Amino acid sequence: MQKLILDRLENIGDESDENHQVHDQRIVVPTILNAIADGFVKKEKSWFATSQLPSDISIRVEDITFYVHKYPLVARCGYISQIDPHEPQNSHSDYDLKLEKFPGGSETFETILKFCYGLPISLNPTNVAALRCGSEFLEMTETMEEGNLISKTEAFFTFVVLSSWNDTIIVLKSCETLSPWADNLQIVRRCCDSVAWKIFRENSTTGEIITNDEKWWFDDVATLRIDFFLRIVTALRVKGIKPEIIGQCIMNYGDKWFPSMYSETKGTDSKYGTNKRNDSQWSITSGRIGETSIIGQNKEQRTIIESLISILPPQKEVVSCKFLLRLLKMSIVYAASPALISELEKRIGMVLENASANDLLIPTYAVNEQTINSTEEQSIHNIDVVQRILDYFLMYEQQRLQQQELKSTTSNISKLVDSYLAEMARDPNVSITKFQVLAESLPRHARTCHDGLYRAIDTYLKIHPSLSEHDRRRLCKIMDCEKLSLDGCMHAAQNERLPLRIVIQVLLSEQVKMRAAVQGKDITASDDNSDKENSWSSMKKEVTSLKEELEKVKMQMIELQRDYSELQQEYVKVNNKPRSSWTSGYWRRVKKSAIFNRKMAEDETQEGKHRVKPAGRRASFHRRQSIS
């Protein structure tokens, strides 16, 4: 049967009848009229059937007008046969009939005309879907003539196209311009089912590793329109193909369709005023987009993004964290559904430990007219999104720990957060509140070393020189000086951007670490366990002593502030008192001051000795460039 159908397909246009054919009670079509033309000639935007008989109907398809004969068409096209042949031609236009939204356009209609005239045509994967839809439009059924175009294109599609992978992909791509006809005729569905079955048959192994043989079809399906791709992926999930394969297929499709989002920055970063950097910088800055706007592609890209999010396999790590973050960036840029964005943020929170700081540089703005016209200077990066993702991570981490499923991975995330904070610190528009909240989101035990946090804080202080003393102290409270390395302590002790109280704490910590380093060497060289214990005991006593000294310094500062306040109050009163009264009262108050008494005692013990005038609190510190 199949051979018989294929034989008939090869002889398209060669069939001829010896007798008259009755197709309508009003029309009798002589067979000889099927051969009244031997081709078509194009003149500008018109096509003429080459025949000795004059044409009697003109048909407009798109911007092309075909001057043809009515009888060959009505013999095989039910749609054309409904036209009254005796109806006068339209005097208001240069055509008699216009076929609106004809599937396949003028090129497909020309091929159908050749078939109606009995001329040979060629069926192939490129044109078979369009001819199938066009013949359906013109109602070229078997009731009009046996072996009509509907049956021929249907047989070719079923027995030839669907048996070949390449032909099926070609037909699917051709269906992109044939909506809704290709969908209504089930051409798309049958192609997608065929593709999914072939993929499943070739990838039905049960192994965990995805081999190159299993990826041979990735690039082919990535060329398809998103709705066709969705149908194939849905069919694959129904058939039970491995989630890892579906995940990699989705990532490959995203890499194919997503536009380039980053541009390498070279030289100085004019936005932040920082030194040369080799990392990637988001190309849309401060909410203003260049002349090459991508708003025209907004709807198409948003559809692709939302579709890919909706079909992500539920398994945790079948899609990389890097791809999920890229998908999130695109979702924000193209204003995807907030519900889908929220689901994506939760998904990223589950695998956040696999991200990098560059991956977390998420844009603030969506691509719209309001964005383009905006002149307000705001943060270029969306720190709120990262805050939510981190919160989801910590929530999932707590659940895992309660269920005793995994060891804690919180410590792995501290470097990521500190690196991200260092990047955010370069933005002059990042508020101190958002910076502080994100820095304090991690539990105290998460950071074993605070060098990365100190680097981020120092960068923020450098980029925001106008911060008040209160804000500087508030920011530095996040940092634990005892968790700084020795190098970090040495740098912080000479950092003029840090508040005085923090510098004192750093100095204490630095002395403890230096003493511990020296004693640690002595302990390593000693073989006596008792000596080791004594050394460690001595070190602990020294730490206790240093802490006590620090408390004394704090108390002295409090006392000094109190005395200063009292002297200020005394000064306010002098305006209403005689000078002699003010002078005596002032010195009585000064002599009662603990600072004055202590100063006098020091002078007595140092009498006769040469004394150097004390410098300011920063005079003994050497200036050093910031490690940021």
Side-chain angles (χ1 to χ4, degrees), residues 241-258:
I241 200 166
K242 293 182 293 185
E244 292 80 7
I245 296 180
I246 293 179
Q248 290 213 10
C249 179
I250 293 173
M251 288 191 290
N252 188 72
Y253 190 92
D255 292 339
K256 171 74 175 180
W257 284 88
F258 288 167

Side-chain angles (χ1 to χ4, degrees), residues 117 121 138 222 250 336 422 473 557 573 578 581 616:
Y117 273 93
I121 64 172
L138 295 173
I250 293 173
R473 288 199 303 267
M557 290 180 62
K573 299 177 182 178
S581 175

Side-chain angles (χ1 to χ4, degrees), residues 447-464:
R447 294 183 176 94
T448 57
C449 178
H450 278 216
D451 281 11
L453 182 59
Y454 165 65
R455 172 176 173 265
I457 293 174
D458 185 42
T459 303
Y460 193 92
L461 294 175
K462 180 180 180 181
I463 300 298
H464 302 78

Side-chain angles (χ1 to χ4, degrees), residues 223-498:
T223 63
L224 301 175
R225 202 172 66 185
I226 185 62
D227 52 339
F228 299 164
F229 178 77
L230 285 180
R231 293 191 183 192
I232 293 174
V233 171
T234 302
L236 289 173
R237 295 179 67 172
V238 171
K239 294 181 184 300
I241 200 166
K242 293 182 293 185
E244 292 80 7
I245 296 180
I246 293 179
Q248 290 213 10
C249 179
I250 293 173
M251 288 191 290
N252 188 72
Y253 190 92
D255 292 339
K256 171 74 175 180
W257 284 88
F258 288 167
S260 177
M261 298 172 51
Y262 291 97
S263 59
E264 287 295 324
T265 57
K266 299 180 180 179
T268 302
D269 187 341
S270 59
K271 173 68 180 175
Y272 293 152
T274 54
N275 294 330
K276 292 185 178 181
R277 300 168 59 198
N278 293 324
D279 57 341
S280 297
Q281 177 65 42
W282 181 251
S283 58
I284 303 177
T285 59
S286 297
R288 290 189 290 274
I289 305 174
E291 296 296 331
T292 58
S293 174
I294 51 179
I295 291 182
Q297 304 172 359
N298 192 6
K299 185 176 180 180
E300 178 185 2
Q301 292 292 338
R302 182 167 60 246
T303 300
I304 294 175
I305 293 163
E306 293 179 343
S307 299
L308 293 182
I309 296 174
S310 65
I311 61 171
L312 287 173
Q315 288 76 10
K316 179 181 176 182
E317 295 183 349
V318 295
V319 179
S320 70
C321 182
K322 188 179 186 69
F323 176 78
L324 291 174
L325 283 164
R326 187 182 181 198
L327 197 58
L328 178 60
K329 295 171 187 177
M330 298 292 290
S331 301
I332 294 173
V333 169
Y334 290 100
S337 165
L340 289 176
I341 291 179
S342 179
E343 287 300 318
L344 195 55
E345 290 172 354
K346 295 177 182 178
R347 179 73 178 257
I348 296 170
M350 299 174 65
V351 292
L352 183 59
E353 66 271 16
N354 299 322
S356 67
N358 252 4
D359 296 334
L360 292 176
L361 298 181
I362 299 172
T364 299
Y365 297 95
V367 179
N368 49 45
E369 293 295 336
Q370 183 178 2
T371 295
I372 294 178
N373 298 326
S374 173
T375 58
E376 183 180 357
E377 289 291 338
Q378 297 185 22
S379 173
I380 184 178
H381 296 116
N382 199 328
I383 196 170
D384 295 330
V385 172
V386 177
Q387 180 70 64
R388 290 195 296 269
I389 292 174
L390 181 59
D391 291 341
Y392 287 133
F393 167 81
L394 295 174
M395 180 183 67
Y396 294 138
E397 182 70 11
Q398 185 65 27
Q399 293 175 356
R400 288 195 291 262
L401 291 177
Q402 290 176 354
Q403 298 171 2
Q404 297 181 350
E405 293 181 356
L406 295 171
K407 294 182 180 179
S408 175
T409 59
T410 309
S411 57
N412 299 333
I413 214 72
S414 60
K415 289 184 177 180
L416 171 65
V417 173
D418 292 345
S419 297
Y420 176 76
L421 286 170
E423 290 295 328
M424 292 301 97
R426 300 175 185 272
D427 188 346
N429 298 316
V430 171
S431 70
I432 185 174
T433 300
K434 290 184 178 181
F435 186 90
Q436 180 181 0
V437 169
L438 182 62
E440 292 179 334
S441 296
L442 291 179
R444 299 288 296 179
H445 63 81
R447 294 183 176 94
T448 57
C449 178
H450 278 216
D451 281 11
L453 182 59
Y454 165 65
R455 172 176 173 265
I457 293 174
D458 185 42
T459 303
Y460 193 92
L461 294 175
K462 180 180 180 181
I463 300 298
H464 302 78
S466 61
L467 283 180
S468 65
E469 184 72 13
H470 170 74
D471 285 339
R472 289 194 297 129
R473 288 199 303 267
R474 164 188 168 191
L475 192 62
C476 291
K477 282 183 179 179
I478 309 171
M479 179 178 60
D480 187 349
C481 298
E482 293 184 359
K483 290 187 178 182
L484 290 176
S485 66
L486 182 57
D487 290 340
C489 287
M490 293 177 64
H491 185 279
Q494 304 175 65
N495 191 341
E496 296 185 353
R497 288 185 285 271
L498 299 181

